[in-house]
């Protein structure tokens, strides 16, 4: 999953010699240094004051470097965004039970998005006789990880220094093994502050790394190849795949060999060039009529870890009996548990290829001869670009943004619900990084800053479009970008309300034959309007707004691009007309205000 040439590949110092380790937390710090962990995002807390001291005075705040955040949720979100770009886990430190509760929403996002990260928590003394009055009692929990166990891969609370070192190695092994996800280790404060009476026997981390992920069997791949040879109208659903440009090229090669139409999903990162002849429909958050028609005409569907394959198939074939044969390459069922329903609806599949999408593509390319003669007949006509209405809405914002950025190498770190994706062209796996996994509003600022950190030093311009509600729930994440000189351009599509819920209220009012004009009650973020640009400037961003028209936006955008290219973060508060393009959201179903926009 590692993306090449992101620019962020710092050289790593060696771990300190075991003779220099004097305290339990020094040993924990040694183990972190021994692993390829570049950063640790944190909001300081007394429960891990021992570890904090070791990071500063033993590791000298290097490898991992501390990234101070103003809220635990932002620390986790930064690690999530960083993993989206680099494929590498970051470390996160959370202060006792209260910090873990603050960070839990962001951990759920990472779990749903299969993002790796190593989370270090801490407890007051487990030995009650060692607890200080009041504070140590309310910041100590029995089985602290129970707060998040349903949406992490693994957790542990080691009882000795040696066990803590092994625990970190096991956690690293677990978080980078596919399917990936967050892991959690709770460090007793007494363990951290225990004086070491003799040099530790330090482990060799290279002997604790996981092997390669499983691949589909030769028999399964042979069966898949035979199914493909019989197909006359195959469709590839390119889902959760790697950020590797080599793998990107192989997916293109497979599609062209088969003459297969390809679809991608705006909820997840770019998986296939959207301007390719075989990719006729723009990526979307949900299936529209054109996508349903395209899939209903397929005689074979190849899912490359498609997000919510079951929901997609039942949308096209409500009786649950697809007329097309279904091949599904994924390891995601190995992450399934009984609490989190993010495994989605069961998909009726004819052939399950238990392995990564990349291993399935490799195996099929070895077995399939070119069937490019059907390439042209399977190429669908592209829908016309949506026409601007004259109002300054999301479409006008998107059109101005993409035309201004047209000659630059851009990474779109986030796009909001309702985004007219037909205005974008994604030609590289880092051109678009997807949504947040769990649709947890407030994740945007921290996540895009983490992604921008992963791109720092590269040739790419990091750009994110966030809703105003999403920004305000996470606005104090901006300070971390300014503090560490992380260049990023954040554009706020500000409709001054929780518009997704407005649309839901309208749907309910219509269904109940009630006044739709009341849909804005309890939803507006106005009167007074929030001065988003001032909030950003107060934390060190260059910022402008409110911007009320297309011409002013273009002028401010060009200035903001220069700021970011000079290594500084910038934010633009752009006031847009509330509304989504048709077909974006089904407002007759239940959902939270996904993006606060």
């Amino acid at each position: 999953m590692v993306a090449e040439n992101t620019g962020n590949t710092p050289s790593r110092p060696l771990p300190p010699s075991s003779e220099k380790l004097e305290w339990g937390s020094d040993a924990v710090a040694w183990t972190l240094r021994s692993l390829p962990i570049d950063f640790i995002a944190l909001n300081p807390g007394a429960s891990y004051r021992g570890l904090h001291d070791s990071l500063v005075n033993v590791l000298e705040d290097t490898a991992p470097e501390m990234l101070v955040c103003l809220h635990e949720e932002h620390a986790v979100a930064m690690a999530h965004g960083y993993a989206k770009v680099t494929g590498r886990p970051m470390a996160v430190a959370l202060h006792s039970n209260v910090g873990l509760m603050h960070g839990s929403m962001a951990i759920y996002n990472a779990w749903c998005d299969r993002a790796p990260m190593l989370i270090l928590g801490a407890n007051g003394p487990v030995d009650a006789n060692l607890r200080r009055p009041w504070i140590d009692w309310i910041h100590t929990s029995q089985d602290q990880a129970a707060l998040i166990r349903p949406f992490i891969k693994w957790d542990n609370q080691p009882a000795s220094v040696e066990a803590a070192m092994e625990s970190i190695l096991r956690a690293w092994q677990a978080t980078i093994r596919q399917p990936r996800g967050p892991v959690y280790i709770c460090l007793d404060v007494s363990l951290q502050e225990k004086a070491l009476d003799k040099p530790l026997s330090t482990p060799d981390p290279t002997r604790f790394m996981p092997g390669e992920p499983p691949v589909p069997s030769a028999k399964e791949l042979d069966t898949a190849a035979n199914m493909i040879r019989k197909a006359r109208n195959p469709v590839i659903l390119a889902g959760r795949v790697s950020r590797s440009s080599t793998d990107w090229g192989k997916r293109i090669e497979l599609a062209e060999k088969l003459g297969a139409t390809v679809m991608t999903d705006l909820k997840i990162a770019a998986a296939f060039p959207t301007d390719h002849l075989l990719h006729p429909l723009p990526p979307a958050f949900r299936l529209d009529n054109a996508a349903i028609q395209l899939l209903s005409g397929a005689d074979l569907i190849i899912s490359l870890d498609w997000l919510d394959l079951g929901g997609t198939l039942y949308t096209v074939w409500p009786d649950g009996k697809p007329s097309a044969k279904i091949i599904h390459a994924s390891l995601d069922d190995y992450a399934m548990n009984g609490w989190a329903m993010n495994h989605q609806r069961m998909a009726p599949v004819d052939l399950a290829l238990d392995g990564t999408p990349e291993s399935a593509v490799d195996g099929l390319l070895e077995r399939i001869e070119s069937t490019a003669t059907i390439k042209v007949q399977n190429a669908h006509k592209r829908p016309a670009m949506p026409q601007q209405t004259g109002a300054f809405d999301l479409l006008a914002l998107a059109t101005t943004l993409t035309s201004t950025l047209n000659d630059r190498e851009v990474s779109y770190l986030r796009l909001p619900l309702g985004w007219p994706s037909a205005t974008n062209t994604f030609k590289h796996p880092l051109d678009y990084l997807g949504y947040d996994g769990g649709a947890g509003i407030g994740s945007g600022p921290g996540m895009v800053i983490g992604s921008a950190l992963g791109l720092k030093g590269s040739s790419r311009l990091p750009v994110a479009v966030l809703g105003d509600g999403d920004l305000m729930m996470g606005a104090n994440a901006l300070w971390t970008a300014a503090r560490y000189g992380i260049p990023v351009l954040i554009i706020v599509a500000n409709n001054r309300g929780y518009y997704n819920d407005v649309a839901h209220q309208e749907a309910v009012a219509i269904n109940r034959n009630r006044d739709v004009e009341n849909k804005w009650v309890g939803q507006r973020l106005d009167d007074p309007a929030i001065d988003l640009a001032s909030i950003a400037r107060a934390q060190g961003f260059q910022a402008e707004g409110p911007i009320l028209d297309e011409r002013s936006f273009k002028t401010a955008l060009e200035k903001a691009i220069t700021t970011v290219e000079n290594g500084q973060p910038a934010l633009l508060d752009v006031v847009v007309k509330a509304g989504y393009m048709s077909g974006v959201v089904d407002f007759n179903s239940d959902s939270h205000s996904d993006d606060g926009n």
Side-chain angles (χ1 to χ4, degrees), residues 349-416:
V349 170
D350 297 284
L351 178 63
L353 300 179
D354 279 5
T356 64
E358 291 71 36
S359 64
V361 170
D362 286 344
L364 292 175
L365 284 173
E366 292 174 358
R367 289 165 170 78
I368 297 295
E369 60 282 359
S370 178
T371 54
T373 53
I374 62 171
K375 176 176 177 179
V376 176
Q377 76 181 53
N378 282 349
H380 293 252
K381 184 179 179 181
R382 293 180 179 276
M385 284 282 288
Q387 296 298 308
Q388 290 188 241
T389 63
F392 193 41
D393 53 13
L394 268 182
L395 178 58
L397 187 156
T399 302
T400 304
L401 178 63
T402 53
S403 63
T404 305
L405 295 172
N406 189 44
D407 60 344
R408 287 177 169 85
E409 194 177 25
V410 177
S411 285
Y412 287 95
L413 311 180
R414 176 74 71 87
L415 296 172

Side-chain angles (χ1 to χ4, degrees), residues 248 264-266 268 270 272-276 279-285 382-386 394-428 430-434 460-461 463-465 491 553 557 581:
W248 177 274
T264 56
D265 188 336
L266 205 61
I268 50 182
F272 196 85
T274 58
D275 61 347
H276 195 285
H279 190 286
L281 302 178
F285 280 97
R382 293 180 179 276
M385 284 282 288
L394 268 182
L395 178 58
L397 187 156
T399 302
T400 304
L401 178 63
T402 53
S403 63
T404 305
L405 295 172
N406 189 44
D407 60 344
R408 287 177 169 85
E409 194 177 25
V410 177
S411 285
Y412 287 95
L413 311 180
R414 176 74 71 87
L415 296 172
L417 194 67
W419 185 257
S421 60
T423 60
N424 294 98
T425 301
F426 305 139
K427 300 181 180 182
H428 185 276
L430 289 177
D431 281 358
Y432 174 61
L433 299 183
R460 292 188 157 266
L461 180 71
V463 178
V465 184
I491 297 164
F553 174 49
L557 178 59
M581 295 178 63

Side-chain angles (χ1 to χ4, degrees), residues 358-568:
E358 291 71 36
S359 64
V361 170
D362 286 344
L364 292 175
L365 284 173
E366 292 174 358
R367 289 165 170 78
I368 297 295
E369 60 282 359
S370 178
T371 54
T373 53
I374 62 171
K375 176 176 177 179
V376 176
Q377 76 181 53
N378 282 349
H380 293 252
K381 184 179 179 181
R382 293 180 179 276
M385 284 282 288
Q387 296 298 308
Q388 290 188 241
T389 63
F392 193 41
D393 53 13
L394 268 182
L395 178 58
L397 187 156
T399 302
T400 304
L401 178 63
T402 53
S403 63
T404 305
L405 295 172
N406 189 44
D407 60 344
R408 287 177 169 85
E409 194 177 25
V410 177
S411 285
Y412 287 95
L413 311 180
R414 176 74 71 87
L415 296 172
L417 194 67
W419 185 257
S421 60
T423 60
N424 294 98
T425 301
F426 305 139
K427 300 181 180 182
H428 185 276
L430 289 177
D431 281 358
Y432 174 61
L433 299 183
Y435 207 45
D436 63 7
I441 185 172
S443 65
M447 199 175 294
V448 302
I449 291 167
S451 295
L453 174 64
L455 292 168
K456 188 177 180 181
S458 74
S459 60
R460 292 188 157 266
L461 180 71
V463 178
V465 184
L466 304 179
D468 48 322
D470 189 22
L471 178 88
M472 283 309 302
M473 283 197 182
N476 56 334
L478 301 182
W479 176 84
T480 302
R483 167 65 180 81
Y484 295 97
I486 302 171
V488 62
L489 172 55
I490 296 176
I491 297 164
V492 186
N494 183 2
N495 55 33
R496 293 179 172 169
Y498 290 114
Y499 181 74
N500 192 54
D501 281 317
V502 172
H504 277 290
Q505 293 309 127
E506 180 176 328
V508 171
I510 292 171
N511 185 55
R512 296 179 177 182
N513 197 29
R514 292 177 177 172
D515 188 358
V516 296
E517 296 305 316
N518 291 329
K519 64 185 180 181
W520 282 101
V521 176
Q523 312 282 8
R524 292 293 294 169
L525 298 176
D526 205 353
D527 195 24
I530 303 170
D531 190 345
L532 303 180
S534 289
I535 290 171
R537 281 193 296 270
Q539 297 180 78
F541 269 58
Q542 295 292 316
E544 290 191 41
I547 298 165
L548 304 175
D549 60 80
E550 190 171 341
R551 184 176 179 180
S552 299
F553 174 49
K554 183 173 178 60
T555 301
L557 178 59
E558 290 171 344
K559 180 180 175 183
I561 291 169
T562 300
T563 296
V564 176
E565 290 178 337
N566 287 334
Q568 299 300 316

Side-chain angles (χ1 to χ4, degrees), residues 15 26-35 37 164-166 168-169 203 205:
D26 293 350
V28 173
W30 182 96
T31 314
L32 293 176
R33 168 65 63 77
S34 72
L35 296 168
I37 300 175
M165 299 173 77
E166 178 178 309
I168 292 171
L169 292 175

Side-chain angles (χ1 to χ4, degrees), residues 35-304:
L35 296 168
I37 300 175
D38 299 326
F39 301 100
I40 179 167
L42 54 84
N43 181 260
S47 63
Y48 64 84
R49 65 184 188 180
L51 177 60
H52 196 133
D53 171 77
S54 299
L55 293 173
V56 173
N57 292 311
V58 177
L59 300 190
E60 299 179 339
D61 194 19
T62 304
E65 176 187 353
M66 286 193 291
L67 302 172
V68 180
C69 302
L70 303 183
H71 194 285
E72 289 89 352
E73 189 170 346
H74 308 331
V76 178
M78 280 193 68
H80 185 172
Y82 184 80
K84 277 179 170 288
V85 170
T86 66
R88 299 195 301 270
M90 235 167 73
V92 179
L94 301 178
H95 168 48
S96 74
N97 48 13
V98 289
L100 184 60
M101 285 185 273
H102 269 167
S104 61
M105 179 63 247
I107 296 170
Y108 182 68
N109 279 335
W111 166 254
C112 291
D113 209 28
R114 306 299 183 244
M117 64 183 67
L118 197 162
I119 306 170
L120 298 173
N123 226 347
V126 172
D127 184 347
N129 287 324
L130 300 177
R131 292 178 200 153
R132 295 173 294 164
W134 181 62
I135 192 66
D136 276 348
W137 289 83
I138 59 175
H139 284 178
T140 301
S141 300
Q142 190 162 286
D143 192 14
Q144 188 164 286
L147 286 164
I148 57 170
R149 189 167 294 131
F151 44 94
I152 54 175
K153 281 192 72 175
W154 182 77
D155 71 88
N156 191 31
Q157 183 166 328
S160 70
V161 174
E162 292 82 0
M165 299 173 77
E166 178 178 309
S167 181
I168 292 171
L169 292 175
R170 189 186 296 274
W172 179 262
Q173 188 181 90
T175 197
I176 63 176
R177 177 175 279 138
Q178 297 194 40
R180 294 176 167 180
V183 293
Y184 179 74
I185 298 172
C186 183
L187 300 170
D188 187 291
V189 69
S190 303
L191 182 154
Q192 297 175 61
E193 300 184 13
K194 177 183 178 181
L196 302 180
D197 53 10
K198 61 181 179 180
L200 289 171
S201 175
T202 54
D204 177 1
T206 64
R207 305 189 75 170
F208 298 91
M209 296 298 103
E212 291 295 314
V215 301
S217 70
K219 179 181 178 181
E220 290 173 331
L221 289 167
D222 288 342
T223 301
N226 288 330
M227 294 171 67
I228 289 170
R229 291 187 187 100
K230 296 175 183 178
R232 291 294 173 264
N233 192 20
V235 173
I236 295 174
L237 299 177
R240 290 182 290 203
V241 294
S242 82
R243 298 301 90 216
S244 162
S245 57
T246 300
D247 294 334
W248 177 274
K250 289 179 180 180
R251 289 191 292 275
I252 297 172
E253 182 183 354
L254 181 65
E256 291 178 348
K257 267 193 171 185
L258 308 186
T261 305
V262 181
M263 290 176 55
T264 56
D265 188 336
L266 205 61
K267 294 189 293 297
I268 50 182
F272 196 85
T274 58
D275 61 347
H276 195 285
L277 179 67
L278 294 172
H279 190 286
L281 302 178
F285 280 97
R286 291 174 174 84
L287 298 184
D288 60 10
N289 290 333
I292 292 171
Q293 183 179 2
L294 190 156
L295 286 169
S296 64
D299 60 353
L300 175 68
I301 294 174
I302 304 169
S303 162
L304 300 178

